Amino acid sequence: MRVLGIESSCDETGLALYDTEAGLLAHALHSQVAMHAEYGGVVPELASRDHIRRALPLLKLVLTEARVELADIDAIAYTQGPGLAGALLVGASIASGLALALGKPTIGIHHLEGHLLSPLLSEPRPEFPFVALLVSGGHTQLMRVDGVGRYELLGETVDDAAGEAFDKTAQLLGLGYPGGPALSKLAEQGDAYRFKLPRPMLNSHNLDFSFAGLKTAALTLVRKEGMAAAADIAAGFQAAAVEVLAAKCLAALKQTGLQRLVVAGGVGANRSLRSRLDAEAEQKRFAVFYPPLALCTDNGAMIAFAGAMRLAEARSRDGRFTVKPRWDL
Ligand code: KG4
Ligand code: ZN
């Protein structure tokens, strides 16, 4: 089965083709980061218009690279939400238009499910069940994943998402938008021990997070110490964020009794977080899995893959069905 994936929830247009036999055939991405940078954040109307401009050329690129004809696609998966309404509508209407023209089904995918399953796109693939840390610009959650569609929320941020805190702190340090990767780079030149930033909710005895106070602490330091201390502030901020994220992952593994951790979402690209989790995994004997770096941030491959998994699961049910009297979104 060949599934076309379309991601357009925010500021990246991603198209990809996933084949359940051959794996990922091709994926193409256009990032709007440069376009939004001068406004200091994503401008929804500009995002929608750019998705319209980019989607079909990217589709052609993906088909050419995969050497697949449009008619040979079996289904079209698109990001149904959450995200910017106008941006989502672009992907959804392109998917629906193609589906109508080709007589193929569409499947709407939850953006976070795309991130959550993305580590399964590369080898070694984690087996179910696993604990997943989802850390993006919009979300910070710990989930227990028992299979496709079987997700249990273990904890989440009570205020800002981790990526949002990286971005806001980066902005304070004059690093532009989105500043997560730039902050991480600057932090490598700084002294993480010069300023001890708070570790919010480190000892909260639950799996929730809080990052708003960390950003405020960084602001106070910027006002007091000035920009000369920017690298040390960045390093202090990153050390605090990584420590909390790592500690909560360990607590989630302990609480669930699982020994597999999957890290997904844009902040999952952070080198300091990865090396901390790798060290913990070696010491505490659990396995940690990441998507390939290029698939950490938003992309079409994770949507095509999640669509293929969902369709395969639906087919395997083969006439059997269940209902969900209680069903959290
Ligand atoms: O998953 P993603 O592409 O989009 C959302 O669904 O939000 O994540 C984007 C977020 C941004 O906040 C960005 O600054 C952050 O991921 N990010 C990073 C790094 N790379 C991306 N944060 C810290 N270190 C990085 N290396
Ligand atoms: Zn995302």
Side-chain angles (χ1 to χ4, degrees):
M1 183 171 46
R2 280 190 193 131
V3 181
L4 174 69
I6 305 177
E7 156 64 31
S8 70
S9 65
C10 189
D11 58 350
E12 331 266 352
T13 319
L15 274 285
L17 263 175
Y18 182 82
D19 184 312
T20 43
E21 302 284 312
L24 186 62
L25 299 179
H27 78 106
L29 192 71
H30 175 77
S31 171
Q32 303 176 354
V33 158
M35 184 179 79
H36 296 295
E38 65 174 295
Y39 304 98
V42 178
V43 184
E45 180 63 22
L46 294 183
S48 312
R49 290 174 188 219
D50 202 58
H51 285 308
I52 293 173
R53 265 196 300 273
R54 307 286 175 178
L56 291 184
L58 287 177
L59 171 62
K60 280 189 189 142
L61 210 68
V62 159
L63 290 170
T64 309
E65 196 183 320
R67 296 170 196 233
V68 168
E69 298 289 326
L70 204 47
D72 295 332
I73 290 170
D74 299 304
I76 300 151
Y78 64 95
T79 303
Q80 192 171 13
L84 301 169
L88 290 165
L89 276 168
V90 176
S93 41
I94 290 173
S96 301
L98 284 172
L100 266 176
L102 300 169
K104 305 288 171 165
T106 58
I107 178 162
I109 295 294
H110 195 296
H111 181 78
L112 294 183
E113 180 173 40
H115 278 303
L116 204 66
L117 298 178
S118 61
L120 277 76
L121 266 165
S122 65
E123 296 294 336
R125 280 169 71 131
E127 279 175 33
F128 298 117
F130 54 76
V131 167
L133 172 70
L134 256 176
V135 264
S136 71
H139 295 85
T140 300
Q141 298 184 333
L142 273 163
M143 316 273 294
R144 180 192 165 106
V145 179
D146 283 289
V148 175
R150 294 167 61 201
Y151 313 125
E152 183 196 342
L153 183 67
L154 301 171
E156 64 183 334
T157 182
V158 297
D159 43 50
D160 290 356
E164 193 180 351
F166 267 90
D167 293 340
K168 286 179 176 169
T169 306
Q171 197 116 33
L172 292 175
L173 298 173
L175 298 173
Y177 176 88
L183 185 144
S184 165
K185 230 179 187 169
L186 182 65
E188 283 173 21
Q189 299 157 29
D191 173 4
Y193 297 99
R194 179 169 166 204
F195 305 117
K196 172 96 177 165
L197 276 87
R199 270 64 173 156
M201 296 185 76
L202 186 62
N203 301 310
S204 63
H205 302 293
N206 61 22
L207 298 174
D208 289 336
F209 303 86
S210 164
F211 291 102
L214 199 47
K215 170 203 69 197
T216 310
L219 174 64
T220 310
L221 276 175
V222 170
R223 286 193 176 140
K224 195 166 151 228
E225 306 287 337
M227 283 306 203
D232 295 339
I233 297 171
F237 167 87
Q238 180 169 266
V242 165
E243 186 174 339
V244 178
L245 288 168
K248 298 277 172 168
C249 286
L250 296 184
L253 290 168
K254 194 168 175 200
Q255 182 178 308
T256 56
L258 299 178
Q259 284 174 326
R260 282 182 289 271
L261 174 70
V262 155
V263 183
V267 184
N270 184 273
R271 276 212 256 168
S272 172
L273 179 64
R274 285 187 175 212
S275 60
R276 173 67 184 267
L277 290 175
D278 287 343
E280 295 284 3
E282 201 173 319
Q283 204 194 350
K284 305 213 164 64
R285 299 190 171 277
F286 62 88
V288 58
F289 302 85
Y290 312 93
L293 268 181
L295 302 183
C296 270
T297 46
D298 293 348
N299 63 83
M302 67 184 193
I303 302 304
F305 180 70
M309 293 296 103
R310 282 276 180 182
L311 289 166
E313 195 233 15
R315 282 187 187 178
S316 73
R317 273 189 261 122
D318 203 20
R320 288 176 290 124
F321 57 83
T322 56
V323 293
K324 297 173 181 174
R326 287 171 61 81
W327 190 12
D328 288 333
L329 202 57

